Amino acid sequence: MRAPHLSLRQSEAVARRALLEVERYDVSLDLTADATFASRTRINFTSRGGQTFLDLKSRRLDAITLDGDGLDPGQLEGGRFPLHLSPGSHELVVEAEMAFRNDGEGLHLHVDPADGRRYVYAMSFMDAAPSIFACFDQPDLKAPFTLTVLAPEDWSVIGNAPGTQTDAGRWEFAPTPPLSTYFVTLVAGPYHVITDSHDGIALGLSARRSLAGALDREADELLTLTRQCFDEFHRLFGIRYPFGNYHQAFVPEFNAGAMENPGCVTYRDAMVFESRVTRAARIHRATTIAHEMAHQWFGNIVTPQWWDDLWLNESFAEYMGNRVTADVTAYTDAWTHNAYARRQWGLVADQRPSTHPVAGNGAADAATALQNFDGISYSKGSSILKQLNAQMGDDVFFAGVVDHLQRHRFGNATMHDLFAAWERAGAIDLSDFAASWLHTAGPDTLSWEPATASVLRTSPAGPPAGRVHTFRVATAGAAGTWSEVSVRAAHGVTPVDVEAAAVVIDPYEDTWAATLLDRASIESLVELLPRTEDPRLRAGAVNALRTGIHQATTTSSQVLAVLESTLATEENDDALSTVVPWALRSVVPLHHDPTGAQRRLHDAVSRRLASATEGSDLQLAAFQSVVASTTSVADLQRWLDGHTPPGLHLDLDLRWAVLVRLATLDAVGADDLDRHLEAEPTARSRVEHARARASRPDAEAKAWAWARVAGEVDVSNHELEAVGLGLWRPGQERWTSQWVDPYFSLLPSLPTLHAGWVLGTAVRSFFPLTSLDPLTLQRAEAVLGQEQLDQTVRRNLVDLTDELARRLRVVDLSRTAHEEAT
């Protein structure tokens, strides 16, 4: 069981910031033990006098002194040590024993199953820093950090600043510029390291030794992308990268996609591709690299004062990451990838009961802020910045950004500071824009009304003053020729002078709105979309279908009819990689005939596979889709034996995709899965083995999965997620129904078993979304009625309950439509 730690409240952060000025941190870590590490922190700071507290989440507090006087270690409670300070300068020294973690936070320890080597990395984000070193853990108490690390002699150690090995196993790092505590990192272990330089900046890449070959193969592309992005950001901002070296570390079992630590960015090491991947995967990696580099300016040079402005970090980096990737790298189609992979993430989040404004998101404490790290802060915020850039133009946009960065260099700022900089640069009064787009939650919905040839705009709570949509509408006649018309929608109904067989509203994402297709357009798209060559238009049409499912205005049969025709002729592997998994989750199980729907989807992607060029990315994406949708054990077994279509090779990823599907179909036993893991014991194999074991349709497999969320078996963060998703497979209700009640019964006590990021992962991945039963919905709503429910559990449960309710409405809608048709 875990002892709870208090989450820092914004009011507490404001009071502590008014009391303290932190001058420097000196942190020493001894990483030579197996399960714990010694942490010594010296903090020099100035106080205005009064009471406050230090943040520390230690396994054992050994000693603490203030200005040389010993304090009672027993005062540490809830991750806080109380301090009574006189006015003036102070020095605090803390010595503690800390625990390595396996949840992707704090100092995460990973033992590589491929070779038994140990690796650690620090993830200090949000409120994890105090589990590594004592600190005043809030973003607006910045200070320089000096790090000293004692490690095994065969390890390399990399930190935020340049470091040197001064003795065997002893590493000393230069002082950093002022950093927020959540940026502090180190990456330590027998990593494979590649070094280079560009424009006077030392560059580095690292990954586990078992990934050395893959990193060597990928290094040229990774370094090329890094150079291109640096050149473009230097051109756009006119401000040199200020953090010394720029190292990119690919680390195991990382929760997020990446973390923008100055000088040492950390990424999921799945981005070092061991197996062949599609272009979509490479675009995702490229935009992530550009995203994290954008943070070096917006987020790292200037940091939000509090988490309610986290969008100033993420929305900006999301926008710049896509823009820079599209403008200066080989991946000029990055915005198409964004349409498929990110647009719906933001739109769905913005339509949940938990929706919040982009800015001023109500993050009363750090735990709440973590839940708001969602598609609204990334995708919606990025879209709105894109709109703002289109409105004011590059010259004003970047002049304001540069002014903001220079005025607050190495400090903290707010949204009001940024908007003031834009207005000084020549933007008009932005108060109405901010009120309409940034401070108002929820998207408008734009739909086509063919009877009146008009766009109908509906808003969650009435149209806010100043919210005006400017976008393009794509129309096609029966002959299939598409044309565009620009629309400015400032009112509820906007007439558009067109006559068309199909109308797609805002396919190019000019505005932020959920868009819907009318019935006639959906029917026409069955014939029109396969002949449509514009990938952005195709993506826009598919996103409108996805919104129709989310809003339960479109039946699964209508969507399936379009997907059958368009997937069979799709030329973009992004569409297959994104749309097929969505359809298998959110269309096929909601159809009146799920078995028949899956067969039709499988037939469509099989036709695409048969016609794809051998060795192409499209062939790979189509084969992945075929494997995921097939019910043929014979085909799967043939592929597992190595008889894949010409142009494909059964590498690690494809092998486990086949094994997971065989396990789901009850065609491979637990013992066989264990043997496959033993034959190729990589970190990736371990996660996919866990997914496969949990996916088997039998009582033992589901109990095996449940033991991991219930804390009976300790597993890493990635394994926990894979097990939960494997447990709840559609069509396995005979074995999963008995776990519905235990899940809801466990939720109130779940925070004693899991914490932080992984707590949310546990709630989401083990939620019974495949239990399409109104009683399951009632059970979820009953738990939400408990007043003492943990806020992380509540936030995730609110969203999942909403999703289940929407799926049940689609089931009813689809069943009714089928009955009326027959």
Side-chain angles (χ1 to χ4, degrees):
M1 297 294 179
R2 298 174 182 266
H5 290 120
L6 299 174
S7 182
L8 181 69
R9 299 187 63 79
Q10 184 177 17
S11 57
E12 294 172 324
V14 170
R16 189 160 63 175
R17 179 65 185 88
L19 185 70
L20 301 179
E21 294 284 347
V22 184
E23 296 159 5
R24 62 176 293 174
Y25 284 89
D26 289 280
V27 178
S28 298
L29 303 175
D30 184 344
L31 309 182
T32 56
D34 290 337
T36 63
F37 61 96
S39 173
R40 185 182 188 275
T41 308
R42 186 177 75 231
I43 312 173
N44 294 99
F45 62 98
T46 301
S47 167
R48 294 172 182 84
Q51 289 188 232
T52 188
F53 56 90
L54 177 77
D55 297 299
L56 179 65
K57 301 175 182 179
S58 61
R59 179 170 176 174
R60 185 185 68 238
L61 175 54
D62 294 323
I64 179 167
T65 62
L66 178 64
D67 302 326
D69 296 327
L71 304 179
D72 178 13
Q75 295 183 71
L76 180 65
E77 184 176 358
R80 297 179 175 186
F81 191 96
L83 295 173
H84 307 278
L85 302 171
S86 60
S89 297
H90 297 281
E91 182 174 273
L92 192 64
V93 179
V94 181
E95 298 181 11
E97 180 183 80
M98 319 293 273
F100 288 114
R101 297 170 65 169
N102 72 342
D103 59 0
E105 299 185 69
L107 202 55
H108 181 97
L109 171 65
H110 172 81
V111 179
D112 191 343
D115 55 21
R117 290 187 170 104
R118 298 169 72 248
Y119 297 87
V120 300
Y121 63 87
M123 177 59 161
S124 299
F125 178 70
M126 199 61 75
D127 61 358
S131 66
I132 306 171
F133 56 92
C135 57
F136 299 110
D137 188 30
Q138 59 189 72
D140 60 348
L141 283 175
K142 284 186 165 182
F145 280 79
T146 302
L147 181 66
T148 302
V149 177
L150 188 63
E153 293 183 14
D154 64 332
W155 284 20
S156 62
V157 183
I158 299 159
N160 298 99
T164 57
Q165 187 171 194
T166 59
D167 201 353
R170 180 179 175 83
W171 296 76
E172 296 182 0
F173 293 83
T176 69
L179 301 182
S180 298
T181 50
Y182 78 90
F183 289 137
V184 177
T185 195
L186 68 89
V187 174
Y191 282 94
H192 177 60
V193 179
I194 296 173
T195 59
D196 205 328
S197 65
H198 176 67
D199 193 18
I201 303 168
L203 305 180
L205 305 170
S206 61
R208 289 174 289 128
R209 288 278 173 184
S210 60
L211 293 176
L215 184 63
D216 288 343
R217 289 193 301 272
E218 297 295 320
D220 182 64
E221 176 168 312
L222 292 169
L223 291 169
T224 296
L225 290 166
T226 302
R227 297 184 194 104
Q228 291 169 330
C229 291
F230 259 130
D231 289 346
E232 182 68 354
F233 282 119
H234 282 151
R235 184 187 74 82
L236 291 171
F237 298 138
I239 299 172
R240 288 280 299 174
Y241 169 73
F243 296 106
N245 298 351
Y246 192 73
H247 189 88
Q248 296 176 97
F250 296 86
V251 297
E253 298 171 336
F254 203 62
N255 282 319
M259 179 64 198
E260 67 269 20
N261 315 301
C264 183
V265 177
T266 43
Y267 298 85
R268 282 192 176 207
D269 64 8
M271 291 188 187
V272 177
F273 303 132
E274 295 179 86
S275 300
R276 186 177 160 216
V277 297
T278 61
R279 181 178 176 84
R282 293 189 176 276
I283 296 174
H284 172 69
R285 184 175 70 179
T287 58
T288 303
I289 288 170
H291 176 115
E292 302 310 320
M293 193 176 290
H295 273 308
Q296 305 305 313
W297 285 264
F298 221 100
N300 295 7
I301 292 179
V302 180
T303 308
Q305 284 186 2
W306 181 247
W307 304 114
D308 58 352
D309 267 337
L310 66 85
W311 78 280
L312 291 175
N313 281 11
E314 299 306 339
S315 302
F316 192 89
E318 184 87 351
Y319 169 58
M320 294 305 302
N322 285 307
R323 172 177 168 154
V324 167
T325 301
D327 287 352
V328 302
T329 78
Y331 300 111
T332 56
D333 48 344
W335 286 114
T336 302
H337 171 79
N338 183 75
Y340 278 116
R342 307 288 272 187
R343 178 74 167 185
Q344 285 294 314
W345 177 40
L347 280 171
V348 167
D350 207 19
Q351 295 173 80
R352 296 291 190 206
S354 62
T355 185
H356 55 83
V358 175
N361 57 34
D365 58 36
T368 303
L370 181 59
Q371 306 314 310
N372 288 338
F373 226 69
D374 57 17
I376 296 170
S377 301
Y378 285 76
S379 180
K380 180 180 181 180
S382 168
S383 179
I384 290 170
L385 284 176
K386 186 180 176 186
Q387 290 174 230
L388 189 60
N389 174 267
Q391 176 179 307
M392 65 175 63
D394 262 5
D395 290 346
V396 173
F397 184 86
F398 283 107
V401 168
V402 171
D403 177 17
H404 181 74
L405 295 174
Q406 290 174 335
R407 283 175 182 265
H408 305 283
R409 185 177 177 87
F410 296 134
N412 299 84
T414 67
M415 182 192 79
H416 301 292
D417 296 320
L418 175 60
F419 275 51
W422 273 327
E423 290 174 1
R424 284 192 298 272
I428 59 171
D429 181 5
L430 295 171
S431 56
D432 285 347
F433 183 92
S436 300
W437 296 102
L438 297 172
H439 291 301
T440 301
D444 292 341
T445 296
L446 303 176
S447 56
W448 179 246
E449 298 296 319
T452 58
S454 60
V455 173
L456 175 64
R457 166 188 166 188
T458 56
S459 300
R467 186 184 279 186
V468 177
H469 296 276
T470 302
F471 54 91
R472 286 165 284 177
V473 170
T475 65
T481 302
W482 290 93
S483 59
E484 295 176 16
V485 58
S486 295
V487 176
R488 185 176 186 274
H491 306 288
V493 177
T494 303
V496 183
D497 186 18
V498 297
E499 292 184 9
V503 175
V504 180
I505 298 172
D506 190 30
Y508 304 107
E509 302 174 12
D510 299 317
T511 191
W512 181 256
T515 61
L516 294 172
L517 296 163
D518 67 288
R519 182 170 183 171
S521 292
I522 294 173
E523 292 174 352
S524 296
L525 286 175
V526 173
E527 298 295 331
L528 289 172
L529 211 54
R531 306 201 304 268
T532 301
E533 296 182 356
D534 184 345
R536 291 291 301 279
L537 177 53
R538 290 170 73 109
V542 170
N543 276 335
L545 291 171
R546 294 174 70 176
T547 294
I549 287 290
H550 185 71
Q551 294 194 4
T553 61
T554 305
T555 69
S556 51
S557 292
Q558 289 175 304
V559 174
L560 186 61
V562 177
L563 295 184
E564 272 189 292
S565 63
T566 189
L567 291 177
T569 59
E570 184 57 64
E571 294 295 331
N572 189 326
D573 64 83
D574 240 320
L576 292 169
S577 299
T578 305
V579 175
V580 173
W582 168 76
L584 289 170
R585 291 191 310 269
S586 302
V587 178
V588 167
L590 313 185
H591 196 269
H592 67 271
D593 176 15
T595 301
Q598 179 149 337
R599 183 173 58 252
R600 291 166 61 188
L601 186 70
H602 176 72
D603 289 347
V605 293
S606 295
R607 292 196 300 276
R608 177 66 283 191
L609 175 63
S611 60
T613 301
E614 287 185 17
S616 67
D617 288 350
L618 191 63
Q619 183 195 32
L620 176 59
F623 184 65
Q624 291 168 338
S625 299
V626 166
V627 170
S629 60
T630 189
T631 57
S632 171
V633 172
D635 284 346
L636 290 164
Q637 192 59 59
R638 186 173 69 255
W639 298 328
L640 187 63
D641 292 339
H643 303 296
T644 53
L648 294 167
H649 167 67
L650 198 72
D651 54 26
L652 179 71
D653 284 1
L654 287 179
R655 183 179 303 110
W656 277 106
V658 170
L659 284 168
V660 168
R661 190 64 189 145
L662 281 167
T664 304
L665 297 173
D666 198 18
V668 62
D671 291 343
D672 286 337
L673 291 171
D674 292 347
R675 281 192 286 272
H676 278 284
L677 177 61
E678 291 169 6
E680 198 168 16
T682 68
R684 173 76 175 202
S685 296
R686 190 163 63 183
V687 172
E688 295 308 312
H689 167 267
R691 190 189 314 276
R693 282 287 303 264
S695 297
R696 297 191 67 252
D698 63 45
E700 183 275 335
K702 305 312 178 187
W704 183 92
W706 183 256
R708 281 138 182 84
V709 74
E712 299 166 19
V713 179
D714 186 36
V715 294
S716 70
N717 47 352
H718 286 192
E719 287 179 78
L720 184 71
E721 180 179 39
V723 165
L725 297 176
L727 191 160
W728 297 102
R729 291 289 185 180
Q732 294 186 354
E733 289 75 17
R734 174 184 170 188
W735 296 276
T736 58
S737 60
Q738 64 178 301
W739 298 106
V740 172
D741 282 343
Y743 170 82
F744 290 114
S745 297
L746 182 65
L747 288 178
S749 62
L750 198 61
T752 66
L753 303 172
H754 307 283
W757 201 300
V758 170
L759 176 58
T761 298
V763 178
R764 292 189 299 274
S765 58
F766 280 83
F767 185 90
L769 265 179
T770 61
S771 181
L772 299 174
D773 185 334
L775 293 176
T776 304
L777 181 62
Q778 293 175 20
R779 190 76 172 87
E781 292 169 342
V783 176
L784 285 173
Q786 299 181 20
E787 293 184 3
Q788 301 303 315
L789 196 65
D790 175 86
Q791 60 185 329
T792 298
V793 174
R794 181 179 299 280
R795 165 61 188 273
N796 285 279
L797 186 58
V798 163
D799 289 350
L800 291 158
T801 302
D802 178 65
E803 177 63 23
L804 180 60
R806 290 174 182 272
R807 291 189 180 199
L808 287 170
R809 287 198 291 273
V810 175
V811 169
D812 289 342
L813 180 71
S814 298
R815 183 186 298 117
T816 300
H818 173 69
E819 291 171 352
E820 291 175 351
T822 56

